[in-house]
Amino acid sequence: MTPSFQRTHTCGELSDNQVGDTVTLCGWVHTRRDHGGLIFIDLWDKFGLTQVVLNPQIDKLAHQEAQALRGNFVIAVTGKVRPRPAGMVNAKLKTGAIEVYIDDMEILNKSETPPFPGWDETEISEVLRLKYRYLDLRSDVLQRNLKLRYDITRTVRNFLHGEKFIEVETPMLTKSTPEGARDYLVPSRLNPEKFYALPQSPQLFKQILMISGMDRYFQIVKCFRDEDLRNDRQPEFTQIDMELSFIDEPALFKLVEGMIAAIYKESLGITIETPFAILKYQEALDRFGSDKPDMRFDLELIDLSEVVAGTDFKVFDQALKNGGQVKALNVKKSTDVLSRKILDDLTEVAKTYGAKGMAWIKVNTNGLQSPIIKFFKPEMLDALIAKVGGEVGDTIVFAADKPKIVADSLANVRLAIAKLMNLIDPKKICLTWITEFPLVEYDETEKRYTAMHHPFTSPLAEDLDKFESDPAGMRARAYDLVLNGNEIGGGSIRIHQSDVQQKMFGLLGIDEKEAHEKFGFLLDALQYGAPPHGGIAFGLDRIAMLLAGADSIRDVIAFPKTQKASCLMTQAPSDIDPKQLKELKLKFDLS
RNA sequence: GGGGUCGUAGUUCAGUUGGUUAGAACGCCGGCCUGUCACGCCGGAGGUCGCGAGUUCGAGUCUCGUCGACCCCGCCA
């Protein structure tokens, strides 16, 4: 009487077509409705739900056994597919037209009562969800998200295969490199006192592969960075990494646009517009205060530095005298929305990014309203209002400080206002290339230049002679791809000449000895016929998060870590056996 | 390293100005029920109020510390 465990169908596929057939289904008890006589079971697997019916008149034994069933029990059932009685069709279920009358049933496994209701819409604390991740992964949302993530990687592999790429694996146990993020380190037992580093990205290997004549490489690969976490940052994350020989920006952009379009088409059925907009870094900063502007709405920054020059308002005057700026946002039709309380909240947003405050002017029907207008001569006020295009109903908010603080604070106030006033059409998809990043930036604490992208990024040809004269003014052949205000990828055309690479190290204060210790293999390789090459890497987790409409990349990762980088399911990281430490010749120093 | 929010039954939450025996819904357990699909009806069990200290006649409630989760700054492409 034991039913075959070999199921004939999944729980998501039976319909009118199988009426009369005898089928075997396997799955979990989703819900049980025991009527004393009839028992209804909704049987679940990842493909769907099927209602099975236990009727004592059809099989007394099966019906009796079914009384012991509880939620999450794993069962196999065999029975006949029948159409549901008139009026009993469940339109909410894919399989709602039929039900299966069971004449044989086996409990394959029992289950404890789960710590939280599965398959439910109740929001469960993330602590529990992460501890019992295997249960949470049964939920519709996570099932859907992981499927979407797979749709993306499948599409990428197909697409790049069609573009003559090959996927090549690169080492996980590799060399620690200076610059960039903090490394995750792995001690070497065979080489005491020496360490491997887990890769922050396969950067150097993919460049070497170009020198090897691989021509087009890609890899969907884990990367590791030991930095603090955010909702879009995990210590281990996945890159869609690629590198191409004999490539320039227009050709690479076209290829990537095709790939992103394929991803949208295959995973969401959405056709997106190509080519994407291109915005130079400086313009992005000037207009939006950010190198990853959300361009689904306007509300651009307006530079008022010239208009307010010579003002009696000390805050503005001081900022300008210290080499700063005064910039503003003109929030149209907002005087009723932006109450005093909300303006205070927005000021707090600005302060988070270093602003000391946030001035504002409201254009009311009966004139201007603001704590600061008394410091301005009427002509200057008129010029200011004219410059921002102020009309009745507008609120103008100001930032005055060093350019970076002005940009950061206004960029984030801009986003907060967009959210507050529903300026963003959620259906809109804005993909934008940001180009011509600065090659280097000056690190005030370390008193030296650091690479903005990484040390292997080529400068623009026209800036090549500025290594000595104006390093801060050099622009890089680097680019980011921004989706609705989120950086989803970035890359560059690389340096392929060893003399330029040496100059770059020189600028970064990496002397020849250190350069050879850290990157000697690359410098050597560059001398053996390195083709011009470039590439890009995408954050798969972020792309999946955005396409899934999730709030965090944790929701598109099967087993994510908490903000303290621990795994609540496995309890990693954990203590280790002293024997292991001894083998590695490691000792703690907790002083 | 810093700022913020949160932590009460298995779960989601309520709990007044500090005052008797800490409640609800769902879930769980038992009983009844042959057309339910969030089945229904009756009954029952279930609490270290995250942990520790303090203030107080009295603390879920106030204070301090601590642990954990989340969001953010710094950090990080």
Side-chain angles (χ1 to χ4, degrees), chain A residues 38-196:
Chain A
L38 287 180
I39 299 174
F40 298 96
I41 303 284
D42 289 340
L43 196 62
W44 177 90
D45 67 17
K46 69 166 281 191
F47 305 99
L49 278 180
T50 300
Q51 173 164 287
V52 303
V53 189
L54 291 121
N55 186 327
Q57 284 159 7
I58 289 183
D59 192 295
K60 200 163 184 182
L61 189 64
H63 177 266
Q64 211 171 345
E65 284 173 351
Q67 286 172 349
L69 290 179
R70 294 294 182 271
N72 295 287
F73 276 31
V74 187
I75 60 174
V77 291
T78 297
K80 199 162 269 190
V81 182
R82 296 202 185 169
R84 294 206 184 180
M88 300 295 167
V89 169
N90 186 345
K92 282 186 280 185
L93 287 185
K94 259 191 301 181
T95 60
I98 55 90
E99 57 197 359
V100 181
Y101 279 70
I102 300 310
D103 47 37
D104 210 346
M105 181 189 89
E106 175 143 344
I107 294 173
L108 302 177
N109 210 345
K110 296 183 177 188
S111 170
E112 295 293 317
T113 301
F116 55 87
W119 304 298
D120 200 352
E121 280 154 36
T122 317
E123 280 195 35
I124 309 296
S125 85
E126 205 158 0
V127 181
L128 272 180
R129 292 178 44 201
L130 290 175
K131 183 171 177 193
Y132 300 95
R133 188 64 168 175
Y134 36 88
L135 297 180
D136 200 27
L137 285 170
R138 291 181 189 165
S139 69
D140 289 345
V141 173
L142 290 184
Q143 290 269 335
R144 205 184 319 129
N145 287 356
L146 291 189
K147 168 69 163 50
L148 174 74
R149 185 182 173 114
Y150 170 66
D151 286 339
I152 294 169
T153 55
R154 180 174 51 81
T155 302
V156 165
R157 286 200 166 93
N158 288 342
F159 181 88
L160 294 179
H161 176 72
E163 296 287 339
K164 300 188 165 55
F165 282 73
I166 66 166
E167 184 164 17
V168 180
E169 291 170 86
T170 52
M172 286 289 115
L173 295 175
T174 181
K175 194 174 159 103
S176 175
T177 55
E179 312 286 311
R182 194 176 293 115
D183 286 319
Y184 272 100
L185 296 174
V186 181
S188 168
R189 177 181 57 84
L190 296 174
N191 303 275
E193 296 183 55
K194 294 194 192 301
F195 289 81
Y196 303 97

Side-chain angles (χ1 to χ4, degrees), chain A residues 294-309:
Chain A
D294 191 336
M295 301 189 37
R296 288 175 296 177
F297 63 102
D298 299 328
L299 194 58
E300 297 190 14
L301 280 59
I302 304 158
D303 194 338
L304 297 171
S305 303
E306 286 178 21
V307 178
V308 300

Side-chain angles (χ1 to χ4, degrees), chain A residues 458-470:
Chain A
S458 178
L460 282 191
E462 59 209 85
D463 291 348
L464 268 173
D465 56 358
K466 294 187 189 163
F467 268 111
E468 279 84 33
S469 58
D470 181 20

Side-chain angles (χ1 to χ4, degrees), chain A residues 192-211:
Chain A
E193 296 183 55
K194 294 194 192 301
F195 289 81
Y196 303 97
L198 302 179
Q200 297 178 25
S201 82
Q203 184 59 38
L204 296 174
F205 289 104
K206 68 174 175 175
Q207 288 189 239
I208 301 256
L209 286 171
M210 294 302 101
I211 298 170

Side-chain angles (χ1 to χ4, degrees), chain A residues 235-307:
Chain A
E236 54 178 307
F237 61 101
T238 305
Q239 283 190 349
I240 302 168
D241 189 45
M242 61 178 90
E243 195 78 7
L244 305 86
S245 295
F246 311 112
I247 194 80
D248 61 6
E249 289 89 336
L252 184 133
F253 287 7
K254 187 159 186 278
L255 180 102
V256 164
E257 286 162 3
M259 185 181 87
I260 299 288
I263 289 173
Y264 266 100
K265 191 77 203 163
E266 288 294 313
S267 60
L268 298 178
I270 292 174
T271 304
I272 58 166
E273 281 176 39
T274 58
F276 305 157
I278 299 177
L279 199 60
K280 289 177 183 167
Y281 171 86
Q282 193 56 52
E283 190 185 344
L285 229 55
D286 290 344
R287 289 173 53 194
F288 301 99
S290 168
D291 62 359
K292 47 173 185 169
D294 191 336
M295 301 189 37
R296 288 175 296 177
F297 63 102
D298 299 328
L299 194 58
E300 297 190 14
L301 280 59
I302 304 158
D303 194 338
L304 297 171
S305 303
E306 286 178 21
V307 178

